[in-house]
Amino acid sequence: MKTGKVAVMSGPNRPFEVREYPLLPVPEGMARMKLLASGVCGTDLHIMRGKLAVGFPACIGHEFIGKVEDIHEADSAKYGINVGDNVIVDIAVPCGECILCKEGNDANCVNMGVTNGGRPEVAPHFYGGFSDYNYTSVKNLVKLPEELDPLMVGVFACPGPTAIHAVRLGIKAGLDPAGVNVAVVQGAGPVGCFATAYLAALGIKEILVICGGANDRRSLLAKQLGATELLDFTAQSMDDIVKYVQSKNGGLGADLVFEASGNPKAVPQGMDMLRNRGMYLVPGQYSQSGGIEIQPQMITFKALSIIGSSQYSMVDVHEYVKFLSEHTELHNPIKGLASCYKVEDINKAFEDAGAGKNIKTVIVPE
Ligand SMILES: [Zn+2]
Ligand SMILES: [Zn+2]
């Protein structure tokens, strides 16, 4: 019987163990995919460092892109996904029953499940991102157009939908991209870089990106993706950067600030940069990184809108794929960010990702 490798994590700060399991027939409702590209996300590093709890042993990784190898006919007919299709797995399994799901906020379902929660020793064994194969519910698959390179799609597989969802919630709360003269993106990591590209595509003319080093690869990428100016906090003080942003927009400050740095200190700075009635999108604070003093009167006096956003929905993954299809000019710069490793080299991949050597670490087939 054919087999495949799974990188199994037995606990935080322990090396992965690469196991081999047989490829079983696909259960009804699921598809079996062969690995094409599977990114290592910041969340995976948090799990490795013990900052986010999951059940062990586990095959983590939630950015799996694969080619469908096996699927039941009825599921093909129902979801329009066939053997040979390239697909991206959406990790989120909302319950569909709670108030959040029913009101259309399934990204924040209170009973949220995940596709990679299965134990590797339990058949069909392949649930997570860091393995040669993956079995996932067909309803969690989004088909990729054939012309999209799976490795390129893999670079922003999770940061892309994350940024898109934050903007979606902003628009739901009254954000009108056409009315934004000046936007600020805090942080030039994967979420910040994708947010820059997305805001530029929405027609926002002036996008200032706050970064640590104007010549590092991420900052240069932000520029390629649509940043009009890089504000480097290693070259000038944050106070000066805040004052500079406040001088923009006829002295009003930014219309929109997008937090993608993950640094708690960025939050009061973001509030400071906004104009009256400005909007602050905050998807970036995705770990417990400590508290920070804020001036709550600013929320009142400036009448700010502060919009949090975590997770994303199928609709955001579809939007991500559509965005990439429409912006072919971005494909080469995006693809160039991937550093590739095989499943059996998972420990080296995590070592390099943890040391900040790569912009995007991606697991690829042998
Ligand atoms: Zn992720
Ligand atoms: Zn729910």
PDB file of all heavy atoms in Angstrom, residues 163-178 180 198-199 202 204 256 279 281 305 307 319:
ATOM      1  N   ALA A 163      -5.940  39.578   6.293  1.00  0.00           N
ATOM      2  CA  ALA A 163      -6.012  41.010   5.985  1.00  0.00           C
ATOM      3  C   ALA A 163      -7.327  41.356   5.292  1.00  0.00           C
ATOM      4  O   ALA A 163      -7.971  42.365   5.611  1.00  0.00           O
ATOM      5  CB  ALA A 163      -4.829  41.405   5.098  1.00  0.00           C
ATOM      6  N   ILE A 164      -7.748  40.486   4.377  1.00  0.00           N
ATOM      7  CA  ILE A 164      -9.000  40.729   3.647  1.00  0.00           C
ATOM      8  C   ILE A 164     -10.180  40.762   4.615  1.00  0.00           C
ATOM      9  O   ILE A 164     -11.067  41.608   4.513  1.00  0.00           O
ATOM     10  CB  ILE A 164      -9.207  39.636   2.565  1.00  0.00           C
ATOM     11  CG1 ILE A 164      -8.194  39.845   1.428  1.00  0.00           C
ATOM     12  CG2 ILE A 164     -10.643  39.629   2.044  1.00  0.00           C
ATOM     13  CD1 ILE A 164      -8.114  38.689   0.434  1.00  0.00           C
ATOM     14  N   HIS A 165     -10.183  39.839   5.588  1.00  0.00           N
ATOM     15  CA  HIS A 165     -11.294  39.797   6.540  1.00  0.00           C
ATOM     16  C   HIS A 165     -11.357  41.078   7.374  1.00  0.00           C
ATOM     17  O   HIS A 165     -12.448  41.607   7.626  1.00  0.00           O
ATOM     18  CB  HIS A 165     -11.175  38.573   7.450  1.00  0.00           C
ATOM     19  CG  HIS A 165     -12.398  38.341   8.284  1.00  0.00           C
ATOM     20  ND1 HIS A 165     -13.581  37.861   7.747  1.00  0.00           N
ATOM     21  CD2 HIS A 165     -12.647  38.569   9.596  1.00  0.00           C
ATOM     22  CE1 HIS A 165     -14.492  37.791   8.701  1.00  0.00           C
ATOM     23  NE2 HIS A 165     -13.951  38.215   9.837  1.00  0.00           N
ATOM     24  N   ALA A 166     -10.196  41.580   7.784  1.00  0.00           N
ATOM     25  CA  ALA A 166     -10.177  42.823   8.578  1.00  0.00           C
ATOM     26  C   ALA A 166     -10.776  43.979   7.768  1.00  0.00           C
ATOM     27  O   ALA A 166     -11.584  44.761   8.292  1.00  0.00           O
ATOM     28  CB  ALA A 166      -8.749  43.148   9.004  1.00  0.00           C
ATOM     29  N   VAL A 167     -10.395  44.074   6.500  1.00  0.00           N
ATOM     30  CA  VAL A 167     -10.942  45.140   5.651  1.00  0.00           C
ATOM     31  C   VAL A 167     -12.457  44.944   5.470  1.00  0.00           C
ATOM     32  O   VAL A 167     -13.231  45.900   5.513  1.00  0.00           O
ATOM     33  CB  VAL A 167     -10.222  45.172   4.280  1.00  0.00           C
ATOM     34  CG1 VAL A 167     -10.908  46.129   3.316  1.00  0.00           C
ATOM     35  CG2 VAL A 167      -8.749  45.560   4.472  1.00  0.00           C
ATOM     36  N   ARG A 168     -12.855  43.681   5.323  1.00  0.00           N
ATOM     37  CA  ARG A 168     -14.292  43.388   5.176  1.00  0.00           C
ATOM     38  C   ARG A 168     -15.078  43.885   6.394  1.00  0.00           C
ATOM     39  O   ARG A 168     -16.132  44.512   6.271  1.00  0.00           O
ATOM     40  CB  ARG A 168     -14.494  41.882   4.995  1.00  0.00           C
ATOM     41  CG  ARG A 168     -15.954  41.464   4.793  1.00  0.00           C
ATOM     42  CD  ARG A 168     -16.104  39.944   4.807  1.00  0.00           C
ATOM     43  NE  ARG A 168     -15.252  39.271   3.850  1.00  0.00           N
ATOM     44  CZ  ARG A 168     -15.448  39.263   2.534  1.00  0.00           C
ATOM     45  NH1 ARG A 168     -16.503  39.856   2.033  1.00  0.00           N
ATOM     46  NH2 ARG A 168     -14.602  38.659   1.727  1.00  0.00           N
ATOM     47  N   LEU A 169     -14.543  43.603   7.598  1.00  0.00           N
ATOM     48  CA  LEU A 169     -15.231  44.061   8.812  1.00  0.00           C
ATOM     49  C   LEU A 169     -15.236  45.593   8.876  1.00  0.00           C
ATOM     50  O   LEU A 169     -16.198  46.198   9.361  1.00  0.00           O
ATOM     51  CB  LEU A 169     -14.564  43.486  10.070  1.00  0.00           C
ATOM     52  CG  LEU A 169     -14.713  41.978  10.298  1.00  0.00           C
ATOM     53  CD1 LEU A 169     -14.185  41.594  11.678  1.00  0.00           C
ATOM     54  CD2 LEU A 169     -16.151  41.513  10.155  1.00  0.00           C
ATOM     55  N   GLY A 170     -14.150  46.217   8.387  1.00  0.00           N
ATOM     56  CA  GLY A 170     -14.103  47.678   8.341  1.00  0.00           C
ATOM     57  C   GLY A 170     -15.195  48.235   7.443  1.00  0.00           C
ATOM     58  O   GLY A 170     -15.919  49.173   7.815  1.00  0.00           O
ATOM     59  N   ILE A 171     -15.332  47.636   6.279  1.00  0.00           N
ATOM     60  CA  ILE A 171     -16.350  48.104   5.325  1.00  0.00           C
ATOM     61  C   ILE A 171     -17.756  47.913   5.922  1.00  0.00           C
ATOM     62  O   ILE A 171     -18.622  48.781   5.808  1.00  0.00           O
ATOM     63  CB  ILE A 171     -16.188  47.389   3.963  1.00  0.00           C
ATOM     64  CG1 ILE A 171     -14.899  47.909   3.284  1.00  0.00           C
ATOM     65  CG2 ILE A 171     -17.404  47.579   3.064  1.00  0.00           C
ATOM     66  CD1 ILE A 171     -14.458  47.146   2.052  1.00  0.00           C
ATOM     67  N   LYS A 172     -17.932  46.784   6.601  1.00  0.00           N
ATOM     68  CA  LYS A 172     -19.211  46.515   7.265  1.00  0.00           C
ATOM     69  C   LYS A 172     -19.519  47.598   8.309  1.00  0.00           C
ATOM     70  O   LYS A 172     -20.682  47.924   8.576  1.00  0.00           O
ATOM     71  CB  LYS A 172     -19.114  45.152   7.964  1.00  0.00           C
ATOM     72  CG  LYS A 172     -20.404  44.360   8.003  1.00  0.00           C
ATOM     73  CD  LYS A 172     -20.077  42.950   8.477  1.00  0.00           C
ATOM     74  CE  LYS A 172     -21.332  42.223   8.910  1.00  0.00           C
ATOM     75  NZ  LYS A 172     -21.027  40.876   9.412  1.00  0.00           N
ATOM     76  N   ALA A 173     -18.435  48.149   8.906  1.00  0.00           N
ATOM     77  CA  ALA A 173     -18.608  49.173   9.946  1.00  0.00           C
ATOM     78  C   ALA A 173     -18.566  50.587   9.370  1.00  0.00           C
ATOM     79  O   ALA A 173     -18.452  51.557  10.122  1.00  0.00           O
ATOM     80  CB  ALA A 173     -17.518  49.002  11.010  1.00  0.00           C
ATOM     81  N   GLY A 174     -18.631  50.709   8.040  1.00  0.00           N
ATOM     82  CA  GLY A 174     -18.763  52.037   7.445  1.00  0.00           C
ATOM     83  C   GLY A 174     -17.544  52.558   6.716  1.00  0.00           C
ATOM     84  O   GLY A 174     -17.556  53.680   6.209  1.00  0.00           O
ATOM     85  N   LEU A 175     -16.469  51.771   6.660  1.00  0.00           N
ATOM     86  CA  LEU A 175     -15.280  52.223   5.933  1.00  0.00           C
ATOM     87  C   LEU A 175     -15.604  52.324   4.437  1.00  0.00           C
ATOM     88  O   LEU A 175     -16.153  51.384   3.860  1.00  0.00           O
ATOM     89  CB  LEU A 175     -14.138  51.219   6.136  1.00  0.00           C
ATOM     90  CG  LEU A 175     -12.880  51.427   5.284  1.00  0.00           C
ATOM     91  CD1 LEU A 175     -12.151  52.693   5.697  1.00  0.00           C
ATOM     92  CD2 LEU A 175     -11.943  50.220   5.396  1.00  0.00           C
ATOM     93  N   ASP A 176     -15.257  53.482   3.846  1.00  0.00           N
ATOM     94  CA  ASP A 176     -15.426  53.646   2.400  1.00  0.00           C
ATOM     95  C   ASP A 176     -14.034  53.863   1.805  1.00  0.00           C
ATOM     96  O   ASP A 176     -13.477  54.960   1.926  1.00  0.00           O
ATOM     97  CB  ASP A 176     -16.324  54.855   2.117  1.00  0.00           C
ATOM     98  CG  ASP A 176     -16.385  55.167   0.624  1.00  0.00           C
ATOM     99  OD1 ASP A 176     -15.950  54.312  -0.185  1.00  0.00           O
ATOM    100  OD2 ASP A 176     -16.865  56.266   0.287  1.00  0.00           O
ATOM    101  N   PRO A 177     -13.452  52.821   1.180  1.00  0.00           N
ATOM    102  CA  PRO A 177     -12.080  52.956   0.669  1.00  0.00           C
ATOM    103  C   PRO A 177     -11.923  54.173  -0.248  1.00  0.00           C
ATOM    104  O   PRO A 177     -10.863  54.798  -0.265  1.00  0.00           O
ATOM    105  CB  PRO A 177     -11.850  51.648  -0.086  1.00  0.00           C
ATOM    106  CG  PRO A 177     -12.780  50.676   0.552  1.00  0.00           C
ATOM    107  CD  PRO A 177     -13.991  51.474   0.956  1.00  0.00           C
ATOM    108  N   ALA A 178     -12.990  54.523  -0.986  1.00  0.00           N
ATOM    109  CA  ALA A 178     -12.896  55.666  -1.901  1.00  0.00           C
ATOM    110  C   ALA A 178     -12.700  56.975  -1.140  1.00  0.00           C
ATOM    111  O   ALA A 178     -12.217  57.963  -1.697  1.00  0.00           O
ATOM    112  CB  ALA A 178     -14.152  55.736  -2.768  1.00  0.00           C
ATOM    113  N   VAL A 180     -10.769  57.284   1.517  1.00  0.00           N
ATOM    114  CA  VAL A 180      -9.512  57.250   2.268  1.00  0.00           C
ATOM    115  C   VAL A 180      -8.410  57.933   1.464  1.00  0.00           C
ATOM    116  O   VAL A 180      -8.040  57.479   0.385  1.00  0.00           O
ATOM    117  CB  VAL A 180      -9.098  55.794   2.605  1.00  0.00           C
ATOM    118  CG1 VAL A 180      -7.726  55.751   3.270  1.00  0.00           C
ATOM    119  CG2 VAL A 180     -10.133  55.143   3.516  1.00  0.00           C
ATOM    120  N   TYR A 198      -3.475  44.971  -0.917  1.00  0.00           N
ATOM    121  CA  TYR A 198      -4.938  44.944  -0.998  1.00  0.00           C
ATOM    122  C   TYR A 198      -5.518  46.361  -0.928  1.00  0.00           C
ATOM    123  O   TYR A 198      -6.406  46.718  -1.700  1.00  0.00           O
ATOM    124  CB  TYR A 198      -5.485  44.066   0.128  1.00  0.00           C
ATOM    125  CG  TYR A 198      -6.926  43.678  -0.064  1.00  0.00           C
ATOM    126  CD1 TYR A 198      -7.301  42.866  -1.133  1.00  0.00           C
ATOM    127  CD2 TYR A 198      -7.918  44.102   0.817  1.00  0.00           C
ATOM    128  CE1 TYR A 198      -8.623  42.503  -1.321  1.00  0.00           C
ATOM    129  CE2 TYR A 198      -9.240  43.737   0.644  1.00  0.00           C
ATOM    130  CZ  TYR A 198      -9.587  42.935  -0.432  1.00  0.00           C
ATOM    131  OH  TYR A 198     -10.904  42.574  -0.609  1.00  0.00           O
ATOM    132  N   LEU A 199      -4.979  47.178  -0.017  1.00  0.00           N
ATOM    133  CA  LEU A 199      -5.461  48.561   0.103  1.00  0.00           C
ATOM    134  C   LEU A 199      -5.142  49.342  -1.166  1.00  0.00           C
ATOM    135  O   LEU A 199      -5.958  50.143  -1.639  1.00  0.00           O
ATOM    136  CB  LEU A 199      -4.841  49.244   1.333  1.00  0.00           C
ATOM    137  CG  LEU A 199      -5.241  48.668   2.697  1.00  0.00           C
ATOM    138  CD1 LEU A 199      -4.479  49.357   3.816  1.00  0.00           C
ATOM    139  CD2 LEU A 199      -6.756  48.777   2.937  1.00  0.00           C
ATOM    140  N   LEU A 202      -7.602  48.553  -3.720  1.00  0.00           N
ATOM    141  CA  LEU A 202      -8.907  49.185  -3.456  1.00  0.00           C
ATOM    142  C   LEU A 202      -8.900  50.657  -3.882  1.00  0.00           C
ATOM    143  O   LEU A 202      -9.901  51.354  -3.742  1.00  0.00           O
ATOM    144  CB  LEU A 202      -9.264  49.079  -1.963  1.00  0.00           C
ATOM    145  CG  LEU A 202      -9.656  47.695  -1.457  1.00  0.00           C
ATOM    146  CD1 LEU A 202      -9.832  47.716   0.059  1.00  0.00           C
ATOM    147  CD2 LEU A 202     -10.939  47.201  -2.130  1.00  0.00           C
ATOM    148  N   ILE A 204      -6.664  53.109  -2.767  1.00  0.00           N
ATOM    149  CA  ILE A 204      -6.129  54.086  -1.808  1.00  0.00           C
ATOM    150  C   ILE A 204      -4.766  54.561  -2.321  1.00  0.00           C
ATOM    151  O   ILE A 204      -3.866  53.762  -2.567  1.00  0.00           O
ATOM    152  CB  ILE A 204      -6.027  53.464  -0.400  1.00  0.00           C
ATOM    153  CG1 ILE A 204      -7.446  53.114   0.075  1.00  0.00           C
ATOM    154  CG2 ILE A 204      -5.320  54.425   0.567  1.00  0.00           C
ATOM    155  CD1 ILE A 204      -7.509  52.376   1.389  1.00  0.00           C
ATOM    156  N   LEU A 256      -7.182  55.952   7.907  1.00  0.00           N
ATOM    157  CA  LEU A 256      -7.253  54.523   8.209  1.00  0.00           C
ATOM    158  C   LEU A 256      -5.889  54.051   8.685  1.00  0.00           C
ATOM    159  O   LEU A 256      -4.872  54.378   8.064  1.00  0.00           O
ATOM    160  CB  LEU A 256      -7.644  53.767   6.924  1.00  0.00           C
ATOM    161  CG  LEU A 256      -7.671  52.239   7.000  1.00  0.00           C
ATOM    162  CD1 LEU A 256      -8.872  51.775   7.820  1.00  0.00           C
ATOM    163  CD2 LEU A 256      -7.754  51.638   5.590  1.00  0.00           C
ATOM    164  N   MET A 279     -10.571  55.262  11.242  1.00  0.00           N
ATOM    165  CA  MET A 279     -10.828  53.858  11.571  1.00  0.00           C
ATOM    166  C   MET A 279      -9.522  53.103  11.791  1.00  0.00           C
ATOM    167  O   MET A 279      -8.578  53.236  11.022  1.00  0.00           O
ATOM    168  CB  MET A 279     -11.643  53.173  10.476  1.00  0.00           C
ATOM    169  CG  MET A 279     -11.997  51.725  10.848  1.00  0.00           C
ATOM    170  SD  MET A 279     -13.054  50.908   9.651  1.00  0.00           S
ATOM    171  CE  MET A 279     -14.667  51.600  10.058  1.00  0.00           C
ATOM    172  N   LEU A 281      -8.068  49.338  12.124  1.00  0.00           N
ATOM    173  CA  LEU A 281      -8.282  47.898  11.940  1.00  0.00           C
ATOM    174  C   LEU A 281      -7.168  47.155  12.680  1.00  0.00           C
ATOM    175  O   LEU A 281      -5.989  47.422  12.449  1.00  0.00           O
ATOM    176  CB  LEU A 281      -8.254  47.529  10.454  1.00  0.00           C
ATOM    177  CG  LEU A 281      -9.306  48.217   9.570  1.00  0.00           C
ATOM    178  CD1 LEU A 281      -9.118  47.797   8.107  1.00  0.00           C
ATOM    179  CD2 LEU A 281     -10.720  47.880  10.041  1.00  0.00           C
ATOM    180  N   SER A 305     -13.266  54.688  15.305  1.00  0.00           N
ATOM    181  CA  SER A 305     -13.813  53.330  15.151  1.00  0.00           C
ATOM    182  C   SER A 305     -12.647  52.366  15.272  1.00  0.00           C
ATOM    183  O   SER A 305     -11.711  52.426  14.469  1.00  0.00           O
ATOM    184  CB  SER A 305     -14.448  53.145  13.778  1.00  0.00           C
ATOM    185  OG  SER A 305     -15.495  54.045  13.594  1.00  0.00           O
ATOM    186  N   ILE A 307     -11.724  48.486  15.123  1.00  0.00           N
ATOM    187  CA  ILE A 307     -12.317  47.229  14.660  1.00  0.00           C
ATOM    188  C   ILE A 307     -11.312  46.100  14.821  1.00  0.00           C
ATOM    189  O   ILE A 307     -10.284  46.074  14.149  1.00  0.00           O
ATOM    190  CB  ILE A 307     -12.715  47.325  13.156  1.00  0.00           C
ATOM    191  CG1 ILE A 307     -13.554  48.586  12.877  1.00  0.00           C
ATOM    192  CG2 ILE A 307     -13.449  46.060  12.709  1.00  0.00           C
ATOM    193  CD1 ILE A 307     -14.917  48.597  13.512  1.00  0.00           C
ATOM    194  N   GLU A 319     -11.936  35.339  -1.963  1.00  0.00           N
ATOM    195  CA  GLU A 319     -11.518  36.695  -2.352  1.00  0.00           C
ATOM    196  C   GLU A 319      -9.997  36.748  -2.560  1.00  0.00           C
ATOM    197  O   GLU A 319      -9.509  37.407  -3.478  1.00  0.00           O
ATOM    198  CB  GLU A 319     -11.964  37.695  -1.268  1.00  0.00           C
ATOM    199  CG  GLU A 319     -11.409  39.105  -1.389  1.00  0.00           C
ATOM    200  CD  GLU A 319     -11.959  39.925  -2.559  1.00  0.00           C
ATOM    201  OE1 GLU A 319     -12.984  39.516  -3.145  1.00  0.00           O
ATOM    202  OE2 GLU A 319     -11.340  40.968  -2.866  1.00  0.00           O
TER     203      GLU A 319
END
